[in-house]
Amino acid sequence: MYKVYRGDSCDFYKRHRDEVKGKAKLIYLDPPYNSKRNRGARKYYNDSNMLWSLFISNIINYSYEMLRDDGFLAISINQTELFNLKGIVDEYFGEENFIGLFPVKIRHKERQLMINATFHDVYEYLLIYRKNKQQRFICENKPANLEKFCYKITILDRNCRKEEINGKQVEIYDAGMYKITKEEPSEDNLRRYIIAGKLKTANWSGEWFENNLRALGNDKLVKVYGLENEGLGYRWFQTQNDKRVSGVYFQSTLCAGRPILPTNDLDYTEIVPNIYKEGGEGCDFKDSKKPEKLLEWIISITTNKDDLVIDLFGGSGTTIDVCIKNSRDCIIVEKHLEPYNIIKRRIENIIKDCNKKIEIEYLNV
Ligand SMILES: C[S@@+](CC[C@H](N)C(=O)[O-])C[C@H]1O[C@@H](n2cnc3c(N)ncnc32)[C@H](O)[C@@H]1O
């Protein structure tokens, strides 16, 4: 679903509240920065507003209401209102839901064009909030290093003892009822951890073994359900034996990968000089256009396919462009005619390029 609204963002929310309340997975805002400049694309809109704080307060309030409970808010801003903005958003989202400040490098330090300025500012900023503190960024997993996944457990006799130990269902196999072999490393095999040193106290499985399984005696294989929820649904342990005073536990590859966390090291200095070309012919929006790569990154860590993204300050339509190309739904609002026309051209360019039918509605707020 793609909708481009022409009109004021606050009016948009007031008139379409029922349609959008609690629906957006991501709200991206790139409002006028109140930098009191009027060069480039700023001649199409007013970048000086005595009532900026009041205006943004309303926008943040409406954004909060439009977000799903698992949603994110990302706002672009520069130094002029950065600190003021942080206070305003904290009020609506709660300080505890501020995820972080992401400096976005957009200028080369050598390319100093504003010779009257006191210093050469190379950064803009991105503030990211979540509606709910439990919500995490979506991130890729670094796959497990397979080298150590070389243990295979084979059950020879299924007549195990079934018990409940400390709230968990367990199956206990005596010596001779099972076989543990070392094989070629593979995704189907398990990694063995010896429960010694810190693993006895600082690791959930290690501690569970020491408190609940060690006393079962030597040479037992124990399957404990509910200890590896993110992987197999159970975890295997083997108790101590004649050769080894420690117990061991086994990990599957399913829960061995580590998430690769997003960083706040965003550098678009190589892209910005050619940004006028993004979106195709007739879509330049000098000094106000965001790199597609920035939006791609935000969308990738906060949304899944078909989620709804709302942008209340459309500009040249970077957000809807990236949403179309990455199969996210999008509603975009733009007040002024010139940028609104750029958005239309940009979407026509995408349709021409990708040669597929995309249904877009152009509406008045
Ligand atoms: C900084 S630009 C956004 C640029 C955009 N992110 C891009 O990549 O092209 C801000 C846009 O917000 C629009 N705008 C300003 N006030 C608005 C309002 N009250 N409602 C809707 N749009 C508004 C301006 O016309 C301008 O196009």
Side-chain angles (χ1 to χ4, degrees), residues 256-320:
R258 283 171 175 275
I260 307 171
L261 297 178
T263 74
N264 62 351
D265 175 27
L266 303 170
D267 185 347
Y268 299 104
T269 45
E270 297 306 324
I271 293 174
V272 170
N274 286 316
I275 204 170
Y276 68 94
K277 295 183 189 159
E278 291 192 351
E281 195 77 25
C283 296
D284 193 13
F285 200 53
K286 255 192 179 22
D287 292 342
S288 290
K289 196 179 197 175
K290 288 290 175 280
E292 287 179 16
K293 282 258 175 279
L294 172 66
L295 268 299
E296 277 166 20
W297 178 77
I298 300 172
I299 282 170
S300 73
I301 59 171
T302 56
T303 65
N304 289 305
K305 234 173 137 229
D306 299 330
D307 280 343
L308 176 64
V309 178
I310 296 182
D311 180 340
L312 298 177
F313 300 96
S316 67
T318 312
T319 305
I320 196 163

Side-chain angles (χ1 to χ4, degrees), residues 7-10 28 30-33 44-46 55 59 285 288-291 295 311-319 333-336 339 346:
D8 177 79
S9 301
C10 293
Y28 174 66
D30 182 14
Y33 291 171
Y44 303 125
Y45 63 93
N46 190 358
F55 168 65
I59 292 287
F285 200 53
S288 290
K289 196 179 197 175
K290 288 290 175 280
L295 268 299
D311 180 340
L312 298 177
F313 300 96
S316 67
T318 312
T319 305
V333 187
E334 173 53 55
K335 184 172 177 180
H336 297 103
R346 191 161 183 169

Side-chain angles (χ1 to χ4, degrees), residues 227-234 252-256:
L227 263 192
E228 197 193 275
N229 288 332
E230 72 282 20
L232 299 169
Y234 55 81
S252 75
T253 53
L254 292 171
C255 63

Side-chain angles (χ1 to χ4, degrees), residues 28-58:
Y28 174 66
L29 303 176
D30 182 14
Y33 291 171
N34 206 18
S35 55
K36 288 141 192 108
R37 299 202 184 111
N38 54 13
R39 293 226 186 93
R42 291 193 193 91
K43 58 180 179 279
Y44 303 125
Y45 63 93
N46 190 358
D47 197 19
S48 167
N49 182 356
M50 294 226 316
L51 301 175
W52 193 89
S53 299
L54 181 63
F55 168 65
I56 285 296
S57 288
N58 287 330

